[in-house]
């Protein structure tokens, strides 16, 4: 069995939305494609929005600066959800790559997938409340970016000759 088939099977067994997304037809060359209404991408938007709301609440009330915060149940559950979102972003990247989608979205999703764990680590290892505030702001921005790149309508390629 090829590695690609094995990877596809492993990804599909984890989330039924992945199966639906993988079953979509290949992109038409040159046509902007919106995935915002597909279940997998809607799920990413919903989960990312929810996680952003949590981060924004921590920023507002300073709870992330409390002693023992990162060992607590709230942060542990948040981190688990964020890591799962990172995995889903990578699955979405792989699906778009498999479809032959030629837009930036697949690359952005991969980048977000790789950045989520880094941003979590930055929040956890911030040495001061000021540094933690910056790390939380960057995590919030990344989660918001995850929503916006999916929900923003696709634009024609600048090199397609379509007047813009």
């Amino acid at each position: 069995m090829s590695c690609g088939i094995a990877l596809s099977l492993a990804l599909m067994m984890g989330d039924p939305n992945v199966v639906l997304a993988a079953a979509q037809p290949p992109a038409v060359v040159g046509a902007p494609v919106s995935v915002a209404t597909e279940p997998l991408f809607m799920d990413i938007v919903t989960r990312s929005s929810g996680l952003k709301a949590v981060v924004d609440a921590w920023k507002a009330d300073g709870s992330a600066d409390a002693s023992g915060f990162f060992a607590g149940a709230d942060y542990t559950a948040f981190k688990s959800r964020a890591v799962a979102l990172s995995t889903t972003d990578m699955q979405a990247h792989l699906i778009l790559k498999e479809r032959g989608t030629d837009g930036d979205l697949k690359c952005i999703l991969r980048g977000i997938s790789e950045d989520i764990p880094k941003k979590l680590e930055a929040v956890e290892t911030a040495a001061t409340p000021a540094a933690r505030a910056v790390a939380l702001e960057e995590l919030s921005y990344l989660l918001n970016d995850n929503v916006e790149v999916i929900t923003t309508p696709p634009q024609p390629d600048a090199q397609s000759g379509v007047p813009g």
Side-chain angles (χ1 to χ4, degrees), residues 33-43 45 105 149-154:
V33 178
S34 176
V35 295
T37 60
E38 293 181 26
L40 175 68
F41 296 92
M42 290 170 54
D43 181 52
V45 167
L105 181 58
V149 298
I150 292 171
T151 59
T152 300

Side-chain angles (χ1 to χ4, degrees), residues 97-118:
K97 184 177 177 182
E98 179 68 27
R99 286 186 196 170
T101 302
D102 202 21
D104 292 333
L105 181 58
K106 73 175 181 285
C107 297
I108 294 169
L109 289 172
R110 179 180 177 157
I112 290 171
S113 173
E114 293 170 349
D115 284 349
I116 289 174
K118 294 174 187 174

Side-chain angles (χ1 to χ4, degrees), residues 48-128:
S48 193
S49 296
L51 291 171
K52 180 187 182 309
V54 171
V55 171
D56 290 347
W58 292 340
K59 286 180 354 188
D61 68 13
S63 59
D65 294 326
S67 178
F69 175 79
F70 296 107
D74 288 343
Y75 183 75
T76 302
F78 172 86
K79 184 174 182 177
S80 176
R81 291 172 49 210
V83 169
L85 175 63
S86 173
T87 300
T88 304
D89 278 322
M90 183 57 76
Q91 291 172 337
H93 158 78
L94 292 171
I95 287 167
L96 292 175
K97 184 177 177 182
E98 179 68 27
R99 286 186 196 170
T101 302
D102 202 21
D104 292 333
L105 181 58
K106 73 175 181 285
C107 297
I108 294 169
L109 289 172
R110 179 180 177 157
I112 290 171
S113 173
E114 293 170 349
D115 284 349
I116 289 174
K118 294 174 187 174
K119 298 300 181 190
L120 290 171
E121 182 179 352
V123 169
E124 294 170 8
T125 61
T128 66

Side-chain angles (χ1 to χ4, degrees), residues 6-24:
L7 177 61
S8 295
L9 289 174
L11 292 174
M12 285 190 270
M13 291 176 17
D15 184 345
N17 290 325
V18 173
V19 175
L20 292 172
Q24 297 298 313

